[in-house]
Amino acid sequence: MGKQKKARKYAVMKRMISLRDERLKEKDRVKAPVKKKEDPSAIKEREVPQHPSCLFFQYNTQLGPPYHILVDTNFINFSIKAKLDLVQSMMDCLYAKCIPCITDCVMGEIEKLGQKYRVALRIAKDPRFERLPCMHKGTYADDCLVQRVTQHKCYIVATVDKELKRRIRKIPGVPIMYISRHRYNIERMPDDYGAPRF
């Protein structure tokens, strides 16, 4: 029998002495944090998020025709690829009047995309679109849409972005419009909650 080869270990770290070890000098040692004793008679404060009055469980009473739809950048681009008229397809999906809304952040994002997306920019500047001003710094559209939907639950969000959809699903009472099979579909509309649509 030959000598067995020992496999080399990769990315092995050397053991280090803890900063609280007794072998270190007193001045080099990290002191343990001192816990404050809680006063049992003190009033305990905790922050509880206030639920909006427009929600009846998961059913959003603020949603009703005419629907205000917040449009994301990629939704416009995918609509062009699928050769869908934005406003007409929204009306076909919801069977009601729709007002597409576009924020300054989304507009800025489309302008940054350059000459290749000039058709999307022309569609976004359509007079049928309602322009929503943004008061915050930066032009990150996803954060802007999530913040706006959290504050005012009267919007439907139109997006194809998976990450944005995941974030919006966590907010109760906000439907999502998306594109599949060359048509618009809606997710979490009032009919989905088992309550009648007004």
Side-chain angles (χ1 to χ4, degrees):
M1 294 293 282
K3 192 177 178 184
Q4 192 176 12
K5 285 187 178 179
K6 198 173 184 182
R8 280 180 69 190
K9 293 182 181 177
Y10 291 98
V12 178
M13 282 180 55
K14 290 183 180 178
R15 286 192 175 177
M16 293 179 68
I17 286 181
S18 169
L19 293 174
R20 291 194 186 124
D21 202 309
E22 290 124 26
R23 292 175 282 181
L24 291 174
K25 292 177 183 171
E26 195 67 41
K27 63 176 182 177
D28 297 333
R29 220 180 287 164
V30 173
K31 290 172 180 68
V34 181
K35 291 183 179 178
K36 292 180 181 177
K37 290 183 180 179
E38 290 183 21
D39 186 16
S41 62
I43 298 169
K44 291 177 183 171
E45 290 181 24
R46 64 176 197 188
E47 197 171 311
V48 179
Q50 191 173 359
H51 287 281
S53 60
C54 65
L55 290 179
F56 177 73
F57 294 108
Q58 286 275 316
Y59 181 71
N60 190 351
T61 56
Q62 277 189 345
L63 279 176
Y67 293 107
H68 292 268
I69 300 169
L70 279 176
V71 183
D72 191 23
T73 313
N74 52 29
F75 191 81
I76 297 172
N77 294 334
F78 274 82
S79 295
I80 294 165
K81 279 183 186 175
K83 295 179 181 174
L84 294 166
D85 178 27
L86 221 75
V87 180
Q88 189 58 46
S89 298
M90 283 176 182
M91 288 184 186
D92 292 344
C93 177
L94 294 168
Y95 301 114
K97 188 180 183 218
C98 299
I99 302 164
C101 304
I102 195 157
T103 62
D104 288 346
C105 290
V106 173
M107 203 64 146
E109 224 175 56
I110 295 169
E111 286 169 359
K112 279 182 187 174
L113 290 173
Q115 195 65 20
K116 191 179 176 185
Y117 295 93
R118 62 185 179 277
V119 179
L121 186 62
R122 194 178 301 153
I123 288 171
K125 287 182 176 175
D126 192 315
R128 294 178 292 179
F129 278 60
E130 189 180 308
R131 190 77 183 264
L132 301 172
C134 294
M135 300 301 174
H136 57 83
K137 290 181 181 176
T139 56
Y140 188 56
D142 289 9
D143 286 343
C144 176
L145 294 175
V146 170
Q147 181 190 354
R148 195 172 286 273
V149 160
T150 310
Q151 287 173 348
H152 314 286
K153 298 211 181 328
C154 60
Y155 296 110
I156 296 170
V157 179
T159 185
V160 189
D161 185 15
K162 283 183 181 177
E163 187 62 30
L164 182 59
K165 274 198 215 173
R166 188 184 60 77
R167 285 173 70 181
I168 289 168
R169 279 189 196 112
K170 292 177 182 175
I171 306 164
V174 180
I176 302 166
M177 187 179 275
Y178 60 96
I179 302 169
S180 72
R181 298 192 192 122
H182 294 281
R183 54 181 293 220
Y184 291 175
N185 294 306
I186 196 110
E187 185 181 304
R188 288 169 51 183
M189 203 50 193
D191 281 351
D192 299 344
Y193 310 137
R197 188 184 283 184
F198 298 120

